[in-house]
Structures are given as C-alpha cells and as structure tokens.
Amino acid sequence: MFGFNRGNRVAYRCSTRLTASEAICVGLLMVVAFAGMSVWQWKLLNTNVVLMLLFIMLIGLLILAWGLVRYYRPGMETRYVVLDNWSHRLFLGNKWLFVLFTGGVYMLAATVFALVLDCIWWLSGGLEADYWAKVLRLRRLAGVGLFFVVGALKSSLDYYYYYKWLRTQRQ
C-alpha cells in the first residue's frame, strides 16, 4: 500500500544474544518507567492505577526474564528484513528521520489500538463525562512513548543486524 512495503524480503541469521538484548532493554525500560509512575500514583492514592502499573511492570519483568534466558542460552535464529522499500532507503539515507518515522508508526498503531479499546469501553457504558479530558495524561502518554521507543529500536536493530551479518558473509 502506497509503496511502503514493496521490496525484497531477505532472510539472515544472527545470534540470539543479539536479539535478546532488545528484550532486555525493553524489559528494563518498562520496569523502571512504570515503577516510577506507580510510586508517584501511590503517593496520589490512586490504587486502581497503581494496580494497572504493577501489572504492566510484571509484563516488563517477564520480557526481561525471557531476554535473559535467551541471552544465556545462545544459538542462531533466522530473521527477516525487507530491502528496497521506503523504510530501508530512509535507514540508509537519514538515521534520525528513520527513527522518527518507525517510532511514529508504532506510536500511531498503539494510539489507534488504545482508542479502539476506549471505544469498546465507552459502548459498554463505562466512560464518565470527563474521561476524554483525562485520556492524554501521563499514563497514556507513557505507554505511547514506550511503543515509540520499542518500534524505533526494533526497526533500527533489524537493519543493523542484517548489515552486520552481510559483513561477516563477505569475509
């Protein structure tokens, strides 16, 4: 669609230690960010928000544990990357614009997903009158920001690992 995903899909092999570092970084980021927010919400006595943040921290701990297991049990895995598309040309031309673009795409997808869940909740009769004024507070923006970082990190590291693999194949 619009030429974004046209290109050649290429398979390459890389160590699971490399890809486990992505999970470790994301898990640590989730634990630290949401721990700080839960302490802040605990001081404000928002117990239902604290429980939600603790649940997200638990997910972050599971991602961190999964990354650590993959890091200490190394092996090789096959990954795929699409070459000759708009995103790949952006990666080769301007890294900062590539990070903004790919992070923005993931952030937009997370926002649309959250709005769909909010609309489902609204249709079930769970929204108050001032809910939409509260939507853009810190907890929503932190989640969207997390998806921005994760999306930019994943896309950048996919191309980085591919070019690292390509250099080892040429030697």
Side-chain angles (χ1 to χ4, degrees):
M1 186 169 153
F2 303 116
F4 288 132
N5 291 325
R6 292 185 187 157
N8 302 323
R9 186 173 181 224
V10 177
Y12 65 97
R13 295 183 55 85
C14 66
S15 171
T16 56
R17 282 194 170 183
L18 293 174
T19 57
S21 63
E22 295 175 28
I24 291 170
C25 289
V26 169
L28 278 175
L29 180 69
M30 286 178 72
V31 168
V32 170
F34 289 106
M37 284 193 299
S38 65
V39 168
W40 178 58
Q41 290 294 328
W42 184 267
K43 289 181 181 179
L44 296 175
L45 300 175
N46 291 335
T47 55
N48 57 349
V49 175
V50 170
L51 291 176
M52 179 192 67
L53 291 173
L54 290 176
F55 179 72
I56 294 172
M57 277 179 47
L58 178 66
I59 293 171
L61 283 173
L62 290 174
I63 292 171
L64 178 66
W66 181 68
L68 289 173
V69 166
R70 289 185 57 172
Y71 186 81
Y72 289 110
R73 296 176 72 196
M76 296 296 283
E77 69 177 337
T78 302
R79 295 186 64 157
Y80 298 95
V81 68
V82 178
L83 301 179
D84 298 332
N85 63 353
W86 193 71
S87 177
H88 179 239
R89 289 191 298 269
L90 196 57
F91 176 78
L92 293 176
N94 190 343
K95 301 274 193 289
W96 289 107
L97 197 55
F98 172 79
V99 167
L100 286 174
F101 173 74
T102 55
V105 167
Y106 277 81
M107 189 171 66
L108 181 66
T111 304
V112 167
F113 180 72
L115 287 175
V116 166
L117 291 179
D118 287 342
C119 286
I120 291 170
W121 189 27
W122 176 66
L123 289 174
S124 67
L127 292 181
E128 306 99 32
D130 63 341
Y131 178 76
W132 295 106
K134 296 178 184 178
V135 160
L136 294 177
R137 293 231 174 127
L138 182 63
R139 63 179 185 246
R140 180 63 52 93
L141 291 178
V144 170
L146 179 70
F147 274 96
F148 179 85
V149 171
V150 168
L153 181 70
K154 181 195 174 306
S155 300
S156 299
L157 289 178
D158 282 343
Y159 285 119
Y160 173 75
Y161 295 149
Y162 170 71
Y163 282 111
K164 186 175 182 178
W165 173 79
L166 201 59
R167 283 192 300 270
T168 60
Q169 293 299 315
R170 288 183 183 162
Q171 293 176 356

